[in-house]
Amino acid sequence: MSRPANPVTLPLADYSPQHFLLAVVDGVAMVTLNRPERKNPLTFESYRELTDFFRACAFDDAVKSIVVTGAGGNFSSGGDVFEIIGPLVKMDTKGLTAFTRMTGDLVKAMRACPQPIVAAVEGICAGAGAIVAMASDMRLAASGAKVAFLFNKVGLAGCDMGACAILPRIIGQSRASELLYTGRFMTAEEGERWGFFSRIVTDEQVLPQAQVLAKQIAEGPTFANTMTKRMLAMEWAMSVEEAIEAEAVAQALCMTTADFERAFEAFANKVKPVFRGD
C-alpha cells in the first residue's frame, strides 16, 4: 500500500490524475472512474488519489461543484477483488486497520469538501462504489442502474466507510438495514422511490443531466452553497434548537457577502443575478 508519487496540484484544471479522469469546465469538476474493462473498480492508489483530490477542492475557488461518474456504462464495481481483497487476506490487524481507515478517509474528504457533489450513476454501482455514490450530495440514476452494498457477500459487516451512519439518513433505517444485511441490489426504481436517487433518466441522459444540475449549482452563490453543505452535515448531531441557532449565524454570514447584495440589486432591476462567489 505504498503511497503514489502524484501529489494533487493546484489549480485543479491543470492537474492530471493517474487513477481517474478529471476535467474542469465552467466551474464544474468532472471526475470519471476510468477502468471500464473491469467496471471501474477502486484500488489502493485510486482511494488515496481521490481522497487527496477532494481535500484539494477546498483550496480551489475555481471549482464550484463536482460530478462523479464512471466510464463505459458502469459507475463502479467497488474494491478490486485481485488488487485489494487478495492482499487484505494476508495482512495483520495493524495493516487491515490502516486500510479501513484509509477507505473511510475518502468519505470524510467527500463530506468535508465544500463543493456539492453530484453522482451520475449508470450500470453497476456496488461495494465501495455504492459508498462513493452514497457520500455524494445528490445522485441521478440511469434507468438500468443497480446499487448494492456488497460487504456481507464477502463475509464482512455492512458498517463500512460510514454506511451505517449515512445510508439510514438517506433511505431510512429499515430499508438501509435490508440492503446492508442482504447485500442485494437496489434497482433504480427502488432507489428513486426510497430517496436514494433524485430522479431516473435514460442511460444517454444521466451524465448530461448531472452536468446540468452541477452547472446550475456552480452558477449559484458559492459561499452560500458551501454553508448549506456544512449545515446539512453539522445538523445531524444537533438538537432542533441548536440547529436553528447555527443556521441564524450561518445565514447572517451569508448576508455579509457581495453575492447577497448582487441578488438584491438584480431583483430590484428585474434581472437575473450573476453570482461571483464572494
Side-chain angles (χ1 to χ4, degrees):
M1 293 199 302
S2 59
R3 189 169 184 82
N6 189 39
V8 178
T9 55
L10 300 177
L12 291 172
D14 296 335
Y15 172 61
S16 297
Q18 290 182 357
H19 305 290
F20 57 91
L21 301 179
L22 175 64
V24 180
V25 180
D26 295 331
V28 179
M30 174 67 63
V31 174
T32 305
L33 305 177
N34 189 41
R35 296 180 68 192
E37 72 284 355
R38 302 279 294 278
K39 296 184 175 65
N40 307 313
L42 298 174
T43 65
F44 294 122
E45 292 77 15
S46 59
Y47 270 119
R48 290 193 181 94
E49 191 170 35
L50 284 164
T51 299
D52 289 348
F53 165 77
F54 283 112
R55 286 174 175 162
C57 286
F59 305 101
D60 193 337
D61 291 339
V63 174
K64 310 293 185 181
S65 62
I66 301 164
V67 173
V68 180
T69 192
N74 292 288
F75 189 76
S76 173
S77 57
D80 188 284
V81 173
F82 298 104
E83 295 183 42
I84 285 187
I85 297 179
L88 289 181
V89 299
K90 301 176 183 178
M91 289 184 189
D92 60 13
T93 301
K94 181 178 179 181
L96 291 169
T97 304
F99 168 75
T100 53
R101 285 175 174 158
M102 182 266 289
T103 61
D105 281 345
L106 173 56
V107 175
K108 291 179 183 178
M110 293 178 71
R111 301 313 308 145
C113 166
Q115 294 88 345
I117 304 169
V118 182
V121 180
E122 185 180 0
I124 297 298
C125 177
I131 295 288
V132 170
M134 178 196 76
S136 301
D137 298 286
M138 293 150 279
R139 291 155 293 277
L140 273 60
S143 56
K146 298 192 298 182
V147 180
F149 298 83
L150 293 173
F151 308 110
N152 83 328
K153 295 291 189 181
V154 294
L156 298 177
C159 56
D160 199 38
M161 300 172 69
C164 286
I166 300 174
L167 189 61
R169 288 179 165 93
I170 299 173
I171 65 174
Q173 185 80 8
S174 179
R175 289 163 174 164
S177 296
E178 178 183 340
L179 295 182
L180 296 176
Y181 280 123
T182 67
R184 75 166 179 84
F185 277 96
M186 172 177 61
T187 65
E189 290 74 18
E190 284 179 314
E192 183 189 36
R193 189 169 69 247
W194 292 358
F196 189 81
F197 293 119
S198 298
R199 59 182 177 270
I200 302 172
V201 297
T202 65
D203 291 358
E204 295 77 16
Q205 282 297 309
V206 64
L207 184 55
Q209 287 294 315
Q211 291 171 318
V212 167
L213 178 57
K215 190 172 188 300
Q216 180 182 358
I217 294 168
E219 291 173 348
T222 304
F223 182 85
N225 285 342
T226 295
M227 194 64 74
T228 299
K229 180 164 180 174
R230 287 282 181 264
M231 289 295 102
L232 283 168
M234 290 173 59
E235 290 179 33
W236 281 4
M238 293 181 182
S239 67
V240 173
E241 290 77 10
E242 291 169 331
I244 291 171
E245 174 59 22
E247 289 188 5
V249 174
Q251 200 70 301
L253 286 173
C254 291
M255 291 173 181
T256 67
T257 64
D259 273 346
F260 179 62
E261 186 174 349
R262 290 186 189 104
F264 170 74
E265 292 174 353
F267 179 82
N269 293 309
K270 298 181 179 180
V271 297
K272 183 180 178 179
V274 178
F275 295 115
R276 299 178 184 173
D278 58 346

